[in-house]
Amino acid sequence: MHVVITGASRGVGAALKAAYEAEGHKVTGTSRTGGDGLVALDVSDAGSIRAMADALGDAPVDLLVCNAGVYLDKGHALDDGYPAEMWAEQLAVNVTGPFLCVQALLPNLRAAGGKVAIISSQMGSSTLATGNALIYRASKAAALNLGMNLAAALKEDGVAVGIYHPGWVQTDMGGASAAITPEESAGGLIERFAVLTPETTGCFETWNGRAHAI
Ligand SMILES: NC(=O)c1ccc[n+]([C@@H]2O[C@H](COP(=O)([O-])OP(=O)(O)OC[C@H]3O[C@@H](n4cnc5c(N)ncnc54)[C@H](OP(=O)(O)O)[C@@H]3O)[C@@H](O)[C@H]2O)c1
């Protein structure tokens, strides 16, 4: 299997890459700077996404994991936080990025009858609107909505799309006191990706297999 994982330099993406490689799969992992066996990719830059797709050529892609993400508005205050530039950057990375990556790799995904996994978050669920992290929550809600619409759009092509909450994970983003390790998250996600089919396309699931409210 050929797996493409965005944001594979650390955290959940790096653990996914290591686990797939340990199983003998070919992984194309990306980071913003590249190097160390990773392809350079900034998902907020359409030209960078095009260059990554050009480098892959017509290689079939069995699984694209749109994992790269940022959480920039942690702790922002409603009265004077959440600046416009932060909205633009976070939506570019967390929403436009996954869309452009899927779009650029459509021929590769169709060639393999492949699957797409969008890493959203439970913070994108409208049932958990707690009034903080407004940009991050809006971006992950949009990523969830994007995944559901891509699932519908790609159903006829046989390309299944799943949307996932990876758990609260001990990464740079999740912090040291988070509930699970990147390896636990990756192990659970890999099981979920394996059972994603055209029948379950559009699902929103947690890393440990629970259907999540939208
Ligand atoms: N950790 C959690 O508790 C948690 C919970 C729910 C959802 N999530 C989601 O899970 C995913 C992975 O999170 P994580 O905790 O592993 O985060 P992380 O440790 O902060 O790693 C983020 C990854 O995204 C990459 N990235 C950031 N901006 C990018 C850009 N503009 N273009 C390309 N790559 C970029 C980073 O690459 P560089 O090394 O190049 O910066 C890095 O590989 C994210 O989508 C996140 O929102 C995480």
Side-chain angles (χ1 to χ4, degrees):
M1 188 161 78
H2 178 202
V3 185
V4 176
I5 303 169
T6 66
S9 52
R10 49 197 168 94
V12 174
L16 284 169
K17 180 174 182 290
Y20 276 121
E21 285 178 342
E23 289 177 6
H25 299 293
K26 174 179 161 53
V27 178
T28 300
T30 79
S31 71
R32 274 176 290 188
T33 50
D36 254 351
L38 298 167
V39 172
L41 172 69
D42 182 340
V43 300
S44 68
D45 176 346
S48 175
I49 293 173
R50 191 63 263 155
M52 181 270 296
D54 288 348
L56 284 181
D58 57 7
V61 171
D62 299 283
L63 174 65
L64 166 63
V65 186
C66 295
N67 166 78
V70 286
Y71 180 3
L72 305 173
D73 55 333
K74 208 177 270 187
H76 272 231
L78 185 57
D79 283 20
D80 58 2
Y82 308 109
E85 315 78 62
M86 191 175 281
W87 279 93
E89 182 180 353
Q90 202 154 196
L91 291 171
V93 176
N94 292 358
V95 189
T96 317
F99 169 72
L100 292 177
C101 288
V102 173
Q103 185 181 50
L105 296 184
L106 277 177
N108 311 69
L109 288 162
R110 288 188 177 120
K115 308 181 193 187
V116 176
I118 306 273
I119 306 301
S120 175
S121 169
Q122 65 180 7
M123 288 173 74
S125 169
S126 297
T127 63
L128 296 174
T130 55
N132 67 340
L134 303 187
I135 309 177
Y136 184 74
R137 287 179 187 281
S139 74
K140 289 300 185 179
L144 168 59
N145 180 275
L146 170 70
M148 293 174 72
N149 276 289
L150 288 173
L154 291 169
K155 201 173 174 84
E156 270 189 17
D157 290 347
V159 174
V161 183
I163 306 100
Y164 301 93
H165 167 59
W168 182 29
V169 194
Q170 293 153 14
T171 64
D172 292 343
M173 185 185 294
S177 55
I180 59 173
T181 64
E183 290 71 28
E184 288 174 284
S185 174
L189 289 171
I190 285 171
E191 283 184 26
R192 302 324 305 159
F193 303 161
V195 297
L196 172 64
T197 65
E199 285 68 46
T200 60
T201 192
C203 61
F204 179 30
E205 294 180 341
T206 63
W207 65 282
N208 53 358
R210 194 167 48 83
H212 203 293
I214 293 163

